[in-house]
Amino acid sequence: MAGWRSRLASHVAAELSTARGAVRQLAQRADRRATEAKRAASRAMDTAREKQAALTSTHRAEVDRITAKAESDIDNAVAELTEVTARLSAPCADAEWSRWTPAPVDRSLAAPLLRVGSLAIGSADAETQRPPALVGLMDHSHLRIAGAAEAALPSVLLRAIGCAEPGACRLTVYDPERLGGSLAGFAPLAPAGLLSFVGPHGLSDMLDEHVEHIRRINATVLAGDHASLRELAETTGRRPEPWRLLVLLGAEMDDWTKDQRAQLTRIRRTGVACGVHLIVVGTDAADDANTLSLDTTSTTLAGQAPVRLDPAPPSALITGTCRRIAEVYAAGPQPTRLSDLIPETLWTKSSACELSVPLGEGSDGRLADIVLGDNPPHALIGGPSGSGKTNLIYSWLGALTARYHPDELALYMLDFKEGVSFARFAGGRRDPSWLPHVRLVGVNINDDREFGLALLRYLRQELRRRAEAAKRHEATKLEELRAVDPQGRWPRIMAVIDEFQVLLDGRDSVAAEAVALLEDLARRGRSQGIHLVLASQDVAGIEALWGRPSLIAQFTLRIALPKARRLLAEANNLAEEIPRYHAVVNSDSGVTQANRVVRLPNASDRAVWDPLQEKLWRQRPADNDSPLLFDGDHVPVLPERIELPTTDPTPVAVLGKAIDVSSRAATLRLTRTPGRNLAILGTRTTEACDVLAGAALSVARTTDVRVTICCLDPDAAAHAYRLAWACEAAGSTVDWQDKLDEVVTAWEEQPTDRPHLVLLYAVDAAGSSLTTAGRNALRSMLLTGPERRVHTFGWWRSVPRLREDLGGYAARFDAIDAWVALDVQGPELAPLSPQPGGPAWYPRTRRGLFFDRAVHRQAEVLIPYDTESVLPTVDNMLTGSPADEH
Ligand SMILES: Nc1ncnc2c1ncn2[C@@H]1O[C@H](COP(=O)(O)OP(=O)(O)OP(=O)(O)O)[C@@H](O)[C@H]1O
């Protein structure tokens, strides 16, 4: 038994041991696998961890990148917004009140939006880098300010008045509770009429007044041509009406009457287009599209973006700004601009019927025209010194010359004042350009009334020429003449005479002739296109015209500058009331009903005038000559050559420059007839020497002459020597004599093959030293010399001394055909003059009165030429010979 059992046992044991071994092996294998699996799992975990770490950092980087981009985009957008909004609110939108100053916007632009704070967006810390929070007001909308944001009101108002020209923004504050407490800083505007406070009792009137204002603007300013004042400004560059801000503080609108609410609704609906803007602070009744809102943290324009309001402006800033604005405004409105009167295209108008141009801005904000034609034909301008007459003339001329071609308009400008206000039209060293329409400019002519007379005579001649042409063509007025004679040059003529009363001064022949000519021109010039424009600062001057009813009646166009007196009709006092730089333009002889107030541009400023003149000058026609300039202060130099109207060979002596429109020389023809001598009368040595030298030299330069010189005044000797030299240099034979006796006896011995000039300086100095025979010989030379070609040019220092030399009381003056009087009074010239009592002559420096019996009915005024610079100097004479000069 034991055997099998033991064998079984050992078999089982063996089996067990095998199984155990197998199990062990299995267990070891499983162990190994588990270890391997664990390792693999651990590796996988490690890998997964690594991957996750990598992913996380990529994600983080991506998130960072996106965040950075978003932030930069936001900042860029904010910067862009800041820039755009800053532009919209420029120019006086500085966030810092310490840097803020008023900066009025150009009149042709819409008003800017107004800054009230900043938008709390973007990353910038600095207030200035944040976009401004804006509200619209002038030219944009009405504004509603929530009660809690009332502190923003001073800032809105200050910025509003700061971006308008002084006076162009006016405030009315309805403040039933506090009467202006919060706006006390704006009080300096009140005395200038730029701010008014209204209490409950004034509400209806205030609303009515604003509604009426809107109605007037719609009817007369916009007048259907423009939708709003903003559009008017943008298209025309003009802003004729101020903005009116109507501030309603704590208004209980529910308690208002029906009428008051209706008026407010009208203002809401139509005010913005007419520059009337509401600022309602506190509870507001309606919500409409014309109104923007401002709260403590938002504005309509900012949308969802949170708003941070600016601090209130310091009260000193408000008061100071308002005071300055009020001062500038009180000083008077700024003038309109000359450029407003200038059309884009030059010279497009015809003057056939009239001259019609804008002169300035009328009270309706439109350009006001001024017309000269058949009616009104002539203008009278008046105003005290400094009231702007010259400036008005410039404005008028600027508008005229830009519209009418120089073939359509010719200007003759005369200024009797001491000054050169018209000289700029003639061109000069500083500015070579001239105004192409101007044919003649006279300046500094206050002592030379003869020049005014000369112009009037010239115009009368032109009037005759026109009248004859009209008659030939069976035309009755310029318009018809131009229609039937289209090739003819018939410009309208405008003659402007500033301080014309000088011409009418006194009771002499000049004044009498001037009045007669003015009357004739005024009466007949109307239909022939000749227009007179007379200006005066002097009431007496204007009054001088009132004394001549037929003359003043022709001047139906009256232009009165501020404080002009006696220019308009008796009861018409408007000129007393208008502010400076304005004029009353009245084309019906000054009757009140025809008054128009015109605001004038600043045209006298050279910076404004010169570019216009330069532009016109560059376009001038090829045959346009510079205007003739007559300057009373200028002493003309003896010209090298003088154009004479005749070509006959008779010697002609040039005595001076005539005071007339053509600038001709005053001459004396030396024919072989008795009396062709010249006497120069007076004590002014220089001028007498100049007349003698001019006369002798002008003959010597053109004719082969013999010259005898005798100088009895030591002060004139140097001049006489120099003249002798110059005559010799011109080819003359010159004989110098120290004694008058010798001259008067020797003349007959000279051959008569050529003219002989005897130049006697200070003849009367010979006095008693001249023997009786000598005196007779002198008379004989004077009487009979010219027939033998001997012409005496003698200088006597007084008329009695000449008379003495000619034979005392019984003297005959027929040996002296021609004379030039210097400082000799008119009555003294009676014996030499055809006028009983002598000519009306008041001696004045550098002027002589010239009479030639052969040609004159009346003596004429001349300006002795300066010969100083045409004669050789003493140094020249010492170092050269006359032949060198020749
Ligand atoms: N519309 C205007 N805008 C700006 N400045 C003006 C205007 N009108 C006149 N002025 C200025 O006022 C001053 C006086 O003007 P202006 O010389 O034209 O006056 P006036 O009446 O001719 O004076 P006077 O008779 O003394 O010559 C000048 O400095 C001129 O520039």
Side-chain angles (χ1 to χ4, degrees), residues 335 384-391 417 499 537 581 600-602 604:
S385 178
S387 60
K389 295 176 299 300
T390 312
N391 182 75
K417 259 193 311 254
E499 303 305 349
Q537 59 168 302
Y581 306 155
L600 302 163
N602 177 2
S604 26

mmCIF file of all heavy atoms in Angstrom, residues 335 384-391 417 499 537 581 600-602 604, ligand 1:
data_model
loop_
_atom_site.group_PDB
_atom_site.id
_atom_site.type_symbol
_atom_site.label_atom_id
_atom_site.label_comp_id
_atom_site.label_asym_id
_atom_site.label_seq_id
_atom_site.Cartn_x
_atom_site.Cartn_y
_atom_site.Cartn_z
ATOM 1 N N PRO A 335 -13.928 143.404 -40.236
ATOM 2 C CA PRO A 335 -14.472 143.680 -41.564
ATOM 3 C C PRO A 335 -14.584 142.422 -42.419
ATOM 4 O O PRO A 335 -13.961 141.409 -42.110
ATOM 5 C CB PRO A 335 -13.416 144.623 -42.163
ATOM 6 C CG PRO A 335 -12.180 144.384 -41.380
ATOM 7 C CD PRO A 335 -12.585 143.889 -40.039
ATOM 8 N N PRO A 384 -15.625 161.753 -41.599
ATOM 9 C CA PRO A 384 -14.474 162.462 -41.020
ATOM 10 C C PRO A 384 -13.172 161.721 -41.269
ATOM 11 O O PRO A 384 -13.184 160.560 -41.691
ATOM 12 C CB PRO A 384 -14.797 162.500 -39.525
ATOM 13 C CG PRO A 384 -15.894 161.541 -39.305
ATOM 14 C CD PRO A 384 -16.567 161.280 -40.601
ATOM 15 N N SER A 385 -12.087 162.392 -40.974
ATOM 16 C CA SER A 385 -10.766 161.798 -41.194
ATOM 17 C C SER A 385 -10.664 160.472 -40.445
ATOM 18 O O SER A 385 -11.049 160.371 -39.292
ATOM 19 C CB SER A 385 -9.723 162.780 -40.680
ATOM 20 O OG SER A 385 -8.469 162.212 -40.835
ATOM 21 N N GLY A 386 -10.176 159.464 -41.130
ATOM 22 C CA GLY A 386 -9.989 158.156 -40.493
ATOM 23 C C GLY A 386 -11.213 157.283 -40.513
ATOM 24 O O GLY A 386 -11.209 156.166 -40.018
ATOM 25 N N SER A 387 -12.311 157.778 -41.099
ATOM 26 C CA SER A 387 -13.530 156.968 -41.081
ATOM 27 C C SER A 387 -13.514 155.889 -42.159
ATOM 28 O O SER A 387 -14.368 155.013 -42.163
ATOM 29 C CB SER A 387 -14.756 157.868 -41.245
ATOM 30 O OG SER A 387 -14.676 158.564 -42.470
ATOM 31 N N GLY A 388 -12.553 155.941 -43.057
ATOM 32 C CA GLY A 388 -12.414 154.847 -44.010
ATOM 33 C C GLY A 388 -12.790 155.189 -45.446
ATOM 34 O O GLY A 388 -13.120 154.297 -46.223
ATOM 35 N N LYS A 389 -12.703 156.456 -45.834
ATOM 36 C CA LYS A 389 -13.085 156.828 -47.209
ATOM 37 C C LYS A 389 -12.116 156.201 -48.224
ATOM 38 O O LYS A 389 -12.540 155.622 -49.214
ATOM 39 C CB LYS A 389 -13.078 158.354 -47.385
ATOM 40 C CG LYS A 389 -14.121 159.050 -46.549
ATOM 41 C CD LYS A 389 -14.035 160.550 -46.672
ATOM 42 C CE LYS A 389 -12.721 161.129 -46.212
ATOM 43 N NZ LYS A 389 -12.375 160.879 -44.829
ATOM 44 N N THR A 390 -10.839 156.352 -47.922
ATOM 45 C CA THR A 390 -9.858 155.821 -48.868
ATOM 46 C C THR A 390 -10.021 154.309 -48.981
ATOM 47 O O THR A 390 -9.985 153.740 -50.072
ATOM 48 C CB THR A 390 -8.440 156.162 -48.372
ATOM 49 O OG1 THR A 390 -8.424 157.534 -48.024
ATOM 50 C CG2 THR A 390 -7.403 155.886 -49.417
ATOM 51 N N ASN A 391 -10.240 153.684 -47.838
ATOM 52 C CA ASN A 391 -10.418 152.236 -47.841
ATOM 53 C C ASN A 391 -11.642 151.844 -48.666
ATOM 54 O O ASN A 391 -11.623 150.871 -49.417
ATOM 55 C CB ASN A 391 -10.567 151.760 -46.399
ATOM 56 C CG ASN A 391 -10.714 150.274 -46.327
ATOM 57 O OD1 ASN A 391 -9.756 149.541 -46.494
ATOM 58 N ND2 ASN A 391 -11.934 149.821 -46.128
ATOM 59 N N LYS A 417 -5.292 165.434 -50.770
ATOM 60 C CA LYS A 417 -4.770 165.395 -49.400
ATOM 61 C C LYS A 417 -3.264 165.305 -49.447
ATOM 62 O O LYS A 417 -2.704 164.864 -50.432
ATOM 63 C CB LYS A 417 -5.195 164.086 -48.776
ATOM 64 C CG LYS A 417 -6.213 164.017 -47.948
ATOM 65 C CD LYS A 417 -6.388 162.758 -47.159
ATOM 66 C CE LYS A 417 -6.332 161.479 -47.946
ATOM 67 N NZ LYS A 417 -7.599 160.849 -48.129
ATOM 68 N N GLU A 499 -10.940 164.683 -51.341
ATOM 69 C CA GLU A 499 -10.841 166.036 -50.786
ATOM 70 C C GLU A 499 -11.066 167.090 -51.871
ATOM 71 O O GLU A 499 -10.301 168.036 -52.033
ATOM 72 C CB GLU A 499 -9.493 166.259 -50.065
ATOM 73 C CG GLU A 499 -9.197 165.272 -48.954
ATOM 74 C CD GLU A 499 -10.283 165.188 -47.891
ATOM 75 O OE1 GLU A 499 -11.184 166.028 -47.889
ATOM 76 O OE2 GLU A 499 -10.234 164.260 -47.073
ATOM 77 N N GLN A 537 -13.761 164.891 -46.337
ATOM 78 C CA GLN A 537 -13.898 164.677 -44.893
ATOM 79 C C GLN A 537 -14.461 165.928 -44.246
ATOM 80 O O GLN A 537 -14.729 165.966 -43.062
ATOM 81 C CB GLN A 537 -12.526 164.386 -44.289
ATOM 82 C CG GLN A 537 -11.532 165.489 -44.509
ATOM 83 C CD GLN A 537 -10.290 165.310 -43.666
ATOM 84 O OE1 GLN A 537 -10.360 165.239 -42.460
ATOM 85 N NE2 GLN A 537 -9.159 165.219 -44.326
ATOM 86 N N TYR A 581 -16.120 150.851 -39.967
ATOM 87 C CA TYR A 581 -15.970 149.927 -41.107
ATOM 88 C C TYR A 581 -17.317 149.626 -41.786
ATOM 89 O O TYR A 581 -17.474 148.639 -42.472
ATOM 90 C CB TYR A 581 -15.298 148.608 -40.716
ATOM 91 C CG TYR A 581 -13.974 148.793 -40.030
ATOM 92 C CD1 TYR A 581 -13.469 147.825 -39.160
ATOM 93 C CD2 TYR A 581 -13.205 149.928 -40.250
ATOM 94 C CE1 TYR A 581 -12.243 148.005 -38.533
ATOM 95 C CE2 TYR A 581 -11.992 150.110 -39.620
ATOM 96 C CZ TYR A 581 -11.516 149.151 -38.760
ATOM 97 O OH TYR A 581 -10.315 149.333 -38.149
ATOM 98 N N LEU A 600 -17.771 147.029 -44.742
ATOM 99 C CA LEU A 600 -16.729 147.114 -45.774
ATOM 100 C C LEU A 600 -15.528 146.246 -45.450
ATOM 101 O O LEU A 600 -15.131 146.146 -44.287
ATOM 102 C CB LEU A 600 -16.266 148.569 -45.896
ATOM 103 C CG LEU A 600 -17.380 149.552 -46.225
ATOM 104 C CD1 LEU A 600 -16.943 150.964 -45.923
ATOM 105 C CD2 LEU A 600 -17.787 149.413 -47.677
ATOM 106 N N PRO A 601 -14.919 145.674 -46.451
ATOM 107 C CA PRO A 601 -13.712 144.890 -46.181
ATOM 108 C C PRO A 601 -12.506 145.801 -45.973
ATOM 109 O O PRO A 601 -12.559 146.984 -46.319
ATOM 110 C CB PRO A 601 -13.538 144.070 -47.455
ATOM 111 C CG PRO A 601 -14.154 144.894 -48.513
ATOM 112 C CD PRO A 601 -15.271 145.679 -47.861
ATOM 113 N N ASN A 602 -11.461 145.237 -45.442
ATOM 114 C CA ASN A 602 -10.215 145.984 -45.314
ATOM 115 C C ASN A 602 -9.449 145.843 -46.625
ATOM 116 O O ASN A 602 -8.891 144.801 -46.920
ATOM 117 C CB ASN A 602 -9.399 145.407 -44.154
ATOM 118 C CG ASN A 602 -8.065 146.087 -44.025
ATOM 119 O OD1 ASN A 602 -7.757 147.014 -44.776
ATOM 120 N ND2 ASN A 602 -7.271 145.647 -43.082
ATOM 121 N N SER A 604 -7.359 148.493 -47.706
ATOM 122 C CA SER A 604 -6.193 149.369 -47.783
ATOM 123 C C SER A 604 -4.908 148.659 -47.401
ATOM 124 O O SER A 604 -3.830 149.073 -47.803
ATOM 125 C CB SER A 604 -6.381 150.609 -46.925
ATOM 126 O OG SER A 604 -7.264 150.386 -45.884
HETATM 127 N N1 LIG B 1 -13.232 148.271 -43.591
HETATM 128 C C1 LIG B 1 -12.067 148.417 -42.944
HETATM 129 N N2 LIG B 1 -11.492 147.363 -42.387
HETATM 130 C C2 LIG B 1 -10.323 147.467 -41.713
HETATM 131 N N3 LIG B 1 -9.639 148.596 -41.590
HETATM 132 C C3 LIG B 1 -10.168 149.692 -42.130
HETATM 133 C C4 LIG B 1 -11.402 149.670 -42.831
HETATM 134 N N4 LIG B 1 -11.670 150.916 -43.241
HETATM 135 C C5 LIG B 1 -10.645 151.681 -42.824
HETATM 136 N N5 LIG B 1 -9.755 150.951 -42.160
HETATM 137 C C6 LIG B 1 -8.520 151.450 -41.548
HETATM 138 O O1 LIG B 1 -8.809 152.673 -40.898
HETATM 139 C C7 LIG B 1 -7.793 153.619 -41.156
HETATM 140 C C8 LIG B 1 -8.358 154.889 -41.774
HETATM 141 O O2 LIG B 1 -8.950 154.561 -43.019
HETATM 142 P P1 LIG B 1 -8.859 155.511 -44.283
HETATM 143 O O3 LIG B 1 -7.460 156.006 -44.514
HETATM 144 O O4 LIG B 1 -9.523 154.826 -45.398
HETATM 145 O O5 LIG B 1 -9.730 156.695 -43.759
HETATM 146 P P2 LIG B 1 -10.001 158.086 -44.443
HETATM 147 O O6 LIG B 1 -11.394 158.438 -44.132
HETATM 148 O O7 LIG B 1 -9.605 158.045 -45.886
HETATM 149 O O8 LIG B 1 -9.044 158.982 -43.616
HETATM 150 P P3 LIG B 1 -8.369 160.339 -44.079
HETATM 151 O O9 LIG B 1 -9.436 161.197 -44.637
HETATM 152 O O10 LIG B 1 -7.725 160.872 -42.844
HETATM 153 O O11 LIG B 1 -7.345 159.894 -45.093
HETATM 154 C C9 LIG B 1 -6.767 152.949 -42.044
HETATM 155 O O12 LIG B 1 -5.719 152.473 -41.257
HETATM 156 C C10 LIG B 1 -7.514 151.782 -42.637
HETATM 157 O O13 LIG B 1 -6.646 150.696 -42.883
#
